[in-house]
């Protein structure tokens, strides 16, 4: 199995798209991220977009990880990412999607580029394995999200230690 690296203080929300009733993929991701020191909030399967947005606002994760198995990830994912990027509180949130992005076999790879162009930080097709997801997690360690940077700036300003 590929080795996954993770910052010890990373917080993730793991979810499926609204039309995906599969749960095993979410449990796998939760266990994988927790095994490597991450804090994981697993929203489960068939989660409505409104619930995902509300939980992201409430819990302020370092990243939202969207997993899909039913083959409709590109459709539901496009709708979800547009809502996230249009939300002022969540526009800077790191969001990735992975799994079975479409129902066209080898042609599913084209959906990844479309999802990234729409606003996802990364899209992982199930056939690619864990190497690309590992690279994403390493990037979390190297550079905080805009959301985290803004929170740190606010905390510094409130403490009187800001510039």
């Amino acid at each position: 199995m590929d080795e996954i690296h993770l910052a010890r203080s990373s917080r993730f929300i793991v979810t499926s798209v609204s039309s995906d009733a599969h749960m095993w993929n979410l449990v796998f991701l939760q266990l994988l991220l927790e095994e490597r020191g991450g804090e994981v909030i697993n929203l489960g399967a068939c989660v409505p977009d409104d619930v995902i947005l509300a939980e992201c606002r409430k819990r302020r994760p370092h990243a939202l990880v969207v997993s899909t198995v039913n083959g409709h990830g590109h459709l539901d994912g496009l709708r979800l990412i547009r809502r996230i990027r249009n939300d002022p509180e969540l526009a800077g949130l790191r969001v990735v999607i992975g799994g079975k992005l479409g129902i066209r076999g080898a042609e599913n790879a084209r959906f990844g580029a479309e999802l990234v162009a729409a606003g996802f930080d990364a899209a992982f097709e199930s056939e690619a394995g864990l190497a690309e997801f590992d690279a994403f997690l390493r990037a979390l360690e190297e550079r905080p999200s805009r959301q985290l940077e803004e929170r740190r700036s606010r905390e510094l300003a409130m403490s009187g230690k800001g510039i």
Side-chain angles (χ1 to χ4, degrees):
M1 181 174 185
D2 297 324
E3 184 177 341
I4 299 289
H5 299 85
L6 183 61
R8 292 281 170 203
S9 61
S10 295
R11 183 177 327 120
F12 298 91
I13 289 182
V14 173
T15 189
S16 70
V17 292
S18 60
S19 69
D20 199 323
H22 295 87
M23 190 66 192
W24 63 264
N25 51 318
L26 302 173
V27 172
F28 172 81
L29 281 169
Q30 178 177 349
L31 293 173
L32 180 76
L33 294 167
E34 286 176 342
E35 181 178 275
R36 285 147 177 90
E39 175 189 342
V40 179
I41 298 113
N42 188 337
L43 299 181
C46 293
V47 184
D49 294 354
D50 289 337
V51 172
I52 295 170
L53 273 68
E55 287 297 314
C56 287
R57 282 188 218 102
K58 177 181 172 184
R59 302 192 186 250
R60 302 290 182 198
H62 295 102
L64 172 64
V65 179
V66 181
S67 181
T68 181
V69 177
N70 71 353
H72 301 290
H74 71 288
L75 296 172
D76 290 338
L78 286 172
R79 184 190 64 246
L80 176 62
I81 198 62
R82 288 178 182 131
R83 293 203 52 205
I84 290 170
R85 296 301 177 227
N86 286 322
D87 185 307
E89 289 185 64
L90 301 176
L93 177 64
R94 282 198 179 98
V95 184
V96 297
I97 189 169
K100 190 175 176 188
L101 302 176
I103 57 170
R104 298 180 181 196
E107 292 180 42
N108 289 343
R110 73 180 177 91
F111 295 126
E114 182 181 352
L115 290 161
V116 169
F120 278 96
D121 292 283
F124 310 105
E125 176 56 41
S126 60
E127 302 301 316
L130 295 175
E132 290 179 23
F133 190 56
D134 183 39
F136 166 76
L137 293 173
R138 271 189 256 136
L140 282 178
E141 294 177 15
E142 296 168 6
R143 183 179 58 93
S145 69
R146 284 180 276 165
Q147 192 173 23
L148 185 58
E149 289 172 349
E150 289 169 5
R151 186 178 332 145
R152 287 180 181 162
S153 294
R154 282 192 307 272
E155 288 170 357
L156 281 174
M158 291 173 60
S159 70
K161 297 178 183 176
I163 299 175

